[in-house]
């Protein structure tokens, strides 16, 4: 054998983009990587390329051994740019990492990571300034209040505190219309300024006023993280702090330290918790160095925000998932608040989890990551146990406010004793008491589980899959189906456990509950918050602020109401049908239930009066419910992780779901069968520790005339699952197979499928 053939390096081609704007992202040019550049070539690096007769620079977005055209005509790269790594390089490298780890096209990954440049003119920045001295402003405020000019009063009240407010903040977060602002401008109460005067709208703020002195626990957490930062040893931390323990103050203190070093910070907050209250806390402390992002921003506005970040106009970006890609050059800290939230998982390709991408981005920047929650995800706590994240805790509410007292009511007993109402006798009693005292009540309807599980109202029995230990869902034609493995059985007529005929799926919606509660308490003022009442823009925030202003006695709502505002007058929380979310066909069911219940219970007693909570359930001994009552995270986690071990579910093992979708059922079925067969063969060939299960119907088997089938893989090693994904992708490309169905990947899914 000649030495020459043995060491011959494979030919590598680089796909390069020359312009980072959205219509050019898919326009790549291919170059040969010459041997002397092989060592330093990587996705994201800036390269010099021959382009027509010129030499220009571009970014490598992909390395491949597949030439895209005539090999003879592919020209070599000229060189790799050295020196400081541009932020674009870093984001492109991140996109490359996401493409490989989550499965998507490079173009999809790039579009996720790089803001969309549009040709629209940048939006003018405006601010609103108070023109009256304080005494006169207060007199005016009293007048507005007496005339019930609520929007005007709201704006004026805020202006008295701040003097100057961002125009967008006023319209989007304070819900004051442009017409109202104009009217007040005409009254010479305020003035609207544009860009030039915007720069520093809150510089005059007396920051001290908002600067809380941290308590001992908070200080300890801040010290620990800053010490690691100062030593140049950034880590990922899980900050577990009960609701109201002052996590946000800790975040702000750490951000202040990062800014002192000339670095920048990203704060992720689920959109639903990104309320005016929350945003103002950051504004009050950091002024106009803060910017907010939300999904209502247009592509152009989002692009502008990113440009401001790149230009160094801001140091802190607050927003949902996508704020993670803010192009800060000197990123020092990423905070993910409410890290257990599902909304951090993208539901379109690449289906990334913000937590994992944050850690990856932080690694590139040597930045720290803080994951905060009162009820950490099982995934994150597992990482703590594995030694990958450091645990920090805040064990007490600020000012030693007690956590609410919580009791469980067994609804099977209520039925036995002849109470068929949705409200238990105990809950009615407590509601009566609070209404008499003029205190407020929240009723939380757990509606996560509406995907049609069957349960017995007499004994609480739930029909489950014998193989997967998740609930079966009721489908058309009285069939019970498992979405994990395809197992199927007919719908039982009586309870298989106790023979009762009270077997059914719980269907009452919030509207029905509102009617029932109103009938029981005719003089109570009730507000309702659900998908119907919050469809209109900003109605979510309107309902919450109205309830905070005590315009109603009872707020009835779905999981939406467990987030956001602090209601100081709420002293009773009732949870209706706590077990609903236990029985969705999803291995996270118990985890979601524990989180929802704990957060719901935590809404009570935020003010001066202590709080109380009642959890109604058909399954009073369930560990998720008992642990939520006791506010005992550890007890819950220990049981839950044992279940995950037993079933080889994430985070102990990893899961990859392959979605097959298409308009023609036969094609989708054919594809899903082929996918399963192919994957099973690969697993055997490579001797991987992976189980391939399915194909099965997706949780919703048909949406908008698109049929959906899933094949799922459980594997010990994430990397082996990535290789299976790659194998399937390669097969699709090389065979031009699966033309009748679209294939997508979802690693460690956040919800049922
Ligand atoms: P969490 O984010 O953990 O729910 P917050 O940071 O919102 O808690 O704090 C709860 C409340 O306690 C807020 O009103 C906050 O202003 C207040 N608070 C937090 N830390 C302190 C402190 N050290 N001193 C006084 N009040 C504080
Ligand atoms: Zn029964
Ligand atoms: Zn099953």
């Amino acid at each position: 054998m000649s030495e020459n053939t043995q060491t011959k390096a494979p030919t590598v081609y680089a796909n390069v983009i020359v312009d980072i704007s959205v219509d050019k992202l898919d326009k790549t040019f291919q170059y040969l990587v010459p041997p002397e550049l092989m060592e330093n070539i990587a996705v994201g690096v800036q390269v010099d390329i021959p382009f027509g007769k010129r030499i220009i620079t571009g970014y490598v977005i992909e390395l491949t051994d597949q030439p895209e055209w005539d090999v003879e005509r592919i020209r070599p790269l000229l060189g790799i740019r050295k020196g400081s790594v541009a932020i674009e390089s870093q984001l492109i490298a991140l996109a490359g990492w996401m493409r490989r780890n989550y499965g998507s096209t490079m173009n999809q990954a790039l579009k996720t990571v790089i803001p969309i440049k549009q040709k629209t003119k940048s939006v003018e920045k405006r601010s609103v300034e108070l023109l009256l001295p304080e005494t006169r402003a207060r007199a005016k405020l009293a007048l507005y209040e007496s005339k019930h000019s609520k929007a005007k009063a709201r704006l004026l009240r805020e202006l008295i505190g701040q003097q100057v407010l961002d125009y967008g903040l006023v319209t989007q977060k304070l819900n004051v219309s442009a017409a109202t602002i104009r009217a007040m401008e005409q009254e010479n109460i305020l003035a609207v300024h544009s860009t030039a005067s915007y720069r520093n709208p809150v510089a005059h703020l007396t920051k001290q006023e908002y600067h809380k002195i941290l308590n001992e626990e908070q200080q300890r957490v801040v010290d620990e993280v800053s010490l690691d930062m100062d030593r140049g040893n950034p880590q990922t931390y899980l900050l577990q702090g009960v609701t109201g323990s002052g996590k946000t103050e800790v975040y702000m203190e750490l951000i202040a330290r990062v800014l002192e070093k000339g670095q920048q910070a990203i704060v992720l907050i689920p959109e639903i918790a990104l309320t005016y209250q929350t945003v103002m806390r950051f504004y009050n402390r950091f002024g106009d160095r803060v910017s907010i992002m939300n999904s209502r921003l247009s592509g152009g506005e989002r692009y502008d925000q990113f440009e401001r970040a790149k230009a160094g106009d801001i140091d802190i970006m607050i927003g949902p998932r996508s704020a993670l890609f803010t192009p800060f050059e000197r990123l020092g800290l990423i905070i993910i608040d409410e890290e257990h939230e599902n909304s951090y998982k993208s539901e379109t390709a690449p289906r990334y989890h913000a937590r994992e991408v944050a850690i990856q981005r932080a690694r590139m920047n040597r930045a720290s990551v803080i994951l905060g929650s009162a009820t950490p995800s099982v995934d994150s706590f597992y990482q703590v146990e594995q030694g990958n994240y450091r645990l920090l805790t805040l064990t007490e509410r600020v000012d030693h406010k007690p956590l609410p007292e919580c009791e469980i009511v067994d609804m099977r007993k209520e039925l036995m004793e002849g109470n068929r109402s949705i409200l238990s006798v105990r809950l009615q009693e407590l509601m009566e008491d609070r209404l008499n005292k003029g205190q407020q009540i929240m009723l939380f309807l757990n509606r996560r589980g509406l995907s049609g599980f069957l349960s017995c109202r007499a004994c609480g029995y739930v029909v489950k899959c014998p193989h997967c230990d998740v609930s079966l869902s009721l489908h058309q034609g009285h069939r019970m189906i498992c979405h994990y493995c395809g197992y199927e059985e007919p719908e039982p007529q009586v309870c298989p456990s106790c023979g009762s005929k009270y077997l059914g799926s719980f269907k009452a919606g919030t509207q029905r509950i509102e009617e029932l509660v109103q009938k029981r308490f005719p003089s109570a003022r009730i507000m309702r918050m659900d998908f119907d009442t919050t469809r209109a823009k900003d109605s979510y925030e309107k309902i919450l602020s109205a309830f905070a202003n005590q315009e109603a006695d009872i707020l009835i709502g779905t999981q939406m109401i467990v987030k956001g505002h602090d209601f100081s007058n709420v002293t009773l929380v009732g949870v209706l049908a706590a077990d609903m979310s236990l029985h969705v066909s999803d291995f996270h069911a118990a985890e979601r239930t524990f989180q929802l219940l704990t957060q719901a219970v935590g809404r009570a007693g935020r003010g001066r009066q202590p709080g109380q909570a009642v959890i109604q359930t058909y399954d009073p001994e369930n560990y998720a419910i008992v642990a939520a009552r006791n506010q005992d995270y550890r007890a819950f986690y220990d049981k839950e992780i044992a279940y995950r071990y037993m079933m080889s579910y994430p985070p102990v093992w990893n899961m990859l779901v392959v979605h097959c979708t298409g308009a023609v059922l036969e094609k989708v079925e054919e594809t899903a069968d082929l996918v399963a067969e192919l994957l099973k063969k690969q697993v055997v060939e490579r001797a991987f520790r992976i189980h391939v299960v399915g194909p099965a119907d997706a949780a919703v088997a048909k949406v908008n005339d698109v049929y959906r089938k899933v094949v799922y893989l459980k594997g010990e090693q994430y990397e082996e699952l990535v290789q299976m994904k790659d194998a399937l992708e390669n097969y699709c490309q090389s065979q031009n197979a699966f033309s009748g169905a679209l294939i997508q990947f979802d690693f460690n899914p956040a919800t049922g499928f």
Side-chain angles (χ1 to χ4, degrees):
M1 212 189 313
S2 95
E3 214 181 330
N4 207 5
T5 51
Q6 220 176 24
T7 55
K8 190 166 189 289
T11 313
V12 174
Y13 303 96
N15 294 335
V16 175
I17 46 171
V18 297
D19 185 7
I20 301 177
S21 65
V22 76
D23 44 335
K24 304 273 175 58
L25 282 184
D26 8 21
K27 187 92 190 99
T28 62
F29 301 90
Q30 198 168 53
Y31 294 87
L32 179 75
V33 182
E36 68 273 17
L37 296 182
M38 278 304 284
E39 200 182 329
N40 292 318
I41 197 79
V43 167
V45 298
Q46 238 183 324
V47 287
D48 291 323
I49 48 171
F51 199 75
K53 292 206 164 67
R54 294 176 300 151
I55 293 173
I56 61 172
T57 66
Y59 293 98
V60 175
I61 62 161
E62 209 162 16
L63 294 168
T64 173
D65 56 6
Q66 307 280 328
E68 272 168 11
W69 66 80
D70 194 355
V71 184
E72 306 289 287
R73 291 176 48 207
I74 300 181
R75 299 203 267 173
L77 295 174
L78 300 177
I80 295 175
R81 283 285 170 110
K82 294 231 177 56
S84 73
V85 183
I87 184 67
E88 279 82 6
S89 294
Q90 199 190 96
L91 290 174
I92 290 168
L94 192 63
W97 182 87
M98 288 167 70
R99 191 201 67 75
R100 176 166 156 75
N101 275 274
Y102 300 110
S104 74
T105 64
M106 190 60 194
N107 198 34
Q108 286 169 323
L110 283 172
K111 283 182 176 167
T112 305
V113 163
I114 290 174
I116 296 170
K117 192 199 270 176
Q118 283 174 338
K119 294 195 177 72
T120 54
K121 264 203 299 199
S122 69
V123 196
E124 196 186 22
K125 278 290 170 200
R126 288 190 292 175
S127 61
V128 177
E129 185 188 2
L130 179 66
L131 296 178
L132 301 181
E134 183 164 342
T135 41
R136 281 187 51 208
R138 289 206 181 276
K140 197 81 197 167
L141 176 62
L143 190 70
Y144 284 154
E145 278 169 345
S146 71
K147 289 203 292 195
H148 297 287
S149 307
K150 279 186 192 147
K152 285 185 177 175
R154 199 155 57 234
L155 175 52
L156 190 52
R157 202 174 301 127
E158 218 50 58
L159 278 173
I160 290 173
Q162 315 284 335
Q163 292 295 314
V164 183
L165 290 167
D166 175 40
Y167 191 91
L169 194 77
V170 171
T171 51
Q172 285 168 31
K173 288 283 167 199
L174 265 185
N175 294 310
V176 177
S177 68
T180 305
I181 298 174
R182 219 172 307 122
M184 290 172 75
E185 196 177 11
Q186 270 155 16
E187 287 182 70
N188 281 323
I189 292 168
L190 52 79
V192 177
H193 305 287
S194 59
T195 319
S197 55
Y198 170 77
R199 280 293 155 220
N200 207 359
V202 279
H204 64 281
L205 272 185
T206 40
K207 289 185 180 171
Q208 290 310 320
E209 197 181 325
Y210 299 94
H211 198 131
K212 301 248 158 45
I213 308 294
L214 298 187
N215 65 30
E216 222 171 280
E217 268 195 319
Q218 289 170 315
Q219 192 60 51
R220 196 168 33 74
V221 167
V222 168
D223 289 345
E224 186 169 343
V225 177
S226 350
L227 192 66
D228 287 340
M229 279 181 187
D230 294 344
R231 284 185 183 148
N233 179 27
Q235 308 263 337
T236 300
Y237 307 88
L238 176 63
L239 173 58
Q240 179 176 24
V242 294
T243 47
S245 58
K247 293 186 288 299
T248 311
E249 294 298 325
V250 168
Y251 302 154
M252 291 198 292
E253 188 60 35
L254 285 168
I255 291 171
R257 306 267 173 120
V258 165
L259 298 196
E260 274 167 23
K261 292 183 204 293
Q263 295 177 322
Q264 299 129 342
I266 294 172
V267 184
L268 302 189
I269 295 183
E271 183 125 34
I272 203 156
L274 200 58
T275 58
Y276 179 74
Q277 251 187 3
T278 313
V279 169
M280 272 332 280
R281 283 174 75 180
F282 284 91
Y283 261 83
N284 286 341
R285 175 112 186 224
F286 299 108
D288 69 347
R289 303 306 293 172
V290 179
S291 191
I292 329 162
M293 201 148 80
N294 62 44
S295 61
R296 268 183 260 121
L297 295 183
S298 67
E301 286 170 317
R302 189 175 154 214
Y303 179 76
D304 279 357
Q305 298 270 10
F306 277 0
E307 284 297 291
R308 288 183 69 207
K310 225 162 71 179
D313 287 352
I314 53 171
D315 300 312
I316 304 164
M317 179 64 91
I318 306 176
R321 205 172 60 217
S322 54
L324 191 50
F325 306 110
T326 307
F328 283 139
E329 303 255 5
R330 295 178 311 280
L331 183 64
L333 176 64
I334 303 175
I335 289 164
I336 305 186
D337 192 30
E338 311 278 1
E339 65 88 28
H340 61 278
E341 277 285 311
N342 270 351
S343 59
Y344 288 125
K345 179 77 193 277
S346 168
E347 292 303 332
T348 53
R351 296 176 188 235
Y352 68 94
H353 199 296
R355 194 194 301 132
E356 294 157 0
V357 177
I359 291 170
Q360 180 64 20
R361 185 157 182 212
R363 194 171 290 149
M364 295 171 160
N365 285 271
R366 300 197 54 71
S368 315
V369 178
I370 298 188
L371 311 169
S373 176
T375 51
S377 61
V378 169
D379 291 355
S380 291
F381 207 83
Y382 183 73
Q383 294 305 329
V384 169
E385 297 236 291
Q386 299 295 303
N388 298 326
Y389 303 170
R390 289 251 298 278
L391 183 65
L392 306 166
T393 49
L394 295 174
T395 55
E396 268 195 78
R397 277 186 168 179
V398 170
D399 296 336
H400 308 282
K401 269 180 209 146
L403 285 167
E405 205 180 282
C406 182
E407 50 196 289
I408 294 176
V409 174
D410 184 347
M411 292 304 277
R412 297 170 306 182
K413 252 196 213 145
E414 295 277 321
L415 185 72
M416 233 150 54
E417 287 161 6
N419 177 18
R420 297 247 199 114
S421 156
I422 48 145
L423 301 176
S424 60
V425 173
R426 177 66 176 149
L427 185 54
Q428 293 183 34
E429 208 175 87
L430 290 172
M431 286 174 72
E432 188 98 61
D433 172 70
R434 299 306 138 99
L435 290 172
N436 287 337
K437 287 181 181 150
Q439 297 173 356
Q440 287 175 296
I441 301 161
M442 288 172 89
L443 291 183
F444 168 61
L445 174 64
N446 188 353
R447 264 173 66 99
R448 280 202 94 92
L450 271 184
S451 66
F453 67 92
L454 267 192
S455 71
C456 172
R457 286 187 69 183
C459 78
Y461 179 85
V462 173
V463 185
K464 284 192 169 185
C465 172
H467 310 297
C468 305
D469 203 29
V470 296
S471 311
L472 297 178
S473 350
L474 189 57
H475 281 235
Q476 275 176 349
H478 302 284
R479 300 177 306 148
M480 305 289 302
I481 296 180
C482 172
H483 298 307
Y484 279 38
C485 71
Y487 170 85
E488 189 178 322
E489 64 180 47
E491 178 187 356
Q493 295 308 302
V494 296
C495 172
S497 173
C498 76
S500 154
K501 63 182 189 331
Y502 288 112
L503 196 66
S505 44
F506 189 102
K507 291 235 173 61
T510 37
Q511 197 172 353
R512 177 89 187 108
I513 287 172
E514 181 181 6
E515 287 163 19
L516 293 169
V517 173
Q518 191 73 79
K519 222 161 116 198
R520 172 67 183 77
F521 301 103
S523 58
R525 297 168 303 160
I526 303 179
M527 269 179 188
R528 173 163 64 93
M529 188 150 96
D530 54 22
F531 287 106
D532 288 336
T533 59
T534 54
R535 210 172 293 152
K537 185 170 172 271
D538 293 332
S539 46
Y540 170 75
E541 194 123 5
K542 274 184 194 144
I543 295 173
L544 290 181
S545 46
F547 188 62
N549 290 336
Q550 304 191 26
E551 289 166 34
D553 306 304
I554 304 175
L555 177 63
I556 299 174
T558 54
Q559 48 265 27
M560 292 178 183
I561 66 174
V562 307
K563 293 275 140 52
H565 283 229
D566 257 357
F567 303 108
S568 54
N569 195 40
V570 171
T571 57
L572 177 63
V573 167
V575 180
L576 310 179
D579 21 336
M580 290 278 281
S581 52
L582 276 178
H583 308 306
V584 286
S585 51
D586 177 357
F587 70 84
H588 300 94
E591 179 177 2
R592 299 280 173 251
T593 304
F594 174 77
Q595 286 162 353
L596 280 170
L597 296 185
T598 310
Q599 306 259 352
V601 168
R603 304 308 306 170
R606 293 286 190 110
R608 241 169 286 132
Q609 326 280 348
Q612 215 171 344
V614 173
I615 297 176
Q616 299 190 164
T617 174
Y618 293 95
D619 195 359
E621 277 101 48
N622 182 283
Y623 64 93
I625 292 178
V626 174
R629 194 235 356 238
N630 299 335
Q631 306 258 319
D632 186 350
Y633 181 83
R634 193 64 215 209
F636 165 74
Y637 175 82
D638 288 343
K639 289 251 166 54
E640 182 63 17
I641 202 71
Y643 159 73
R644 305 281 177 95
Y645 263 109
M646 191 175 69
M647 302 302 294
S648 306
Y649 284 137
V652 181
W653 276 34
N654 291 283
M655 189 183 267
L656 167 58
V657 184
V658 184
H659 291 257
C660 309
T661 54
V664 184
L665 180 61
E666 292 74 44
K667 291 264 189 192
V668 174
E669 279 175 343
E670 202 178 287
T671 304
D673 286 340
L674 197 60
V675 164
E677 192 186 315
L678 205 89
L679 290 172
K680 280 172 189 162
K681 222 174 88 199
Q682 288 285 325
V683 167
V684 175
E685 267 175 26
R686 298 174 189 223
F688 282 172
R689 258 165 78 81
I690 289 178
H691 303 309
V692 182
V693 192
D697 278 347
V700 188
K702 189 183 172 192
V703 187
N704 293 332
D705 289 320
V706 172
Y707 292 92
R708 315 194 318 157
K709 289 259 171 197
V710 294
V711 175
Y712 86 102
L713 292 81
K714 284 197 281 191
E716 202 172 11
Q717 303 297 329
Y718 193 95
E719 176 56 28
E720 289 184 357
L721 291 177
V722 170
Q723 287 180 31
M724 297 298 279
K725 176 215 62 173
D726 289 345
L728 198 56
E729 267 179 349
N730 285 340
Y731 181 83
C732 291
Q733 272 169 13
S734 62
Q735 309 288 313
N736 208 7
F738 308 142
S739 54
L742 180 69
I743 292 184
Q744 286 192 314
F745 302 95
D746 190 357
F747 283 86
N748 293 338
T751 55
F753 39 84

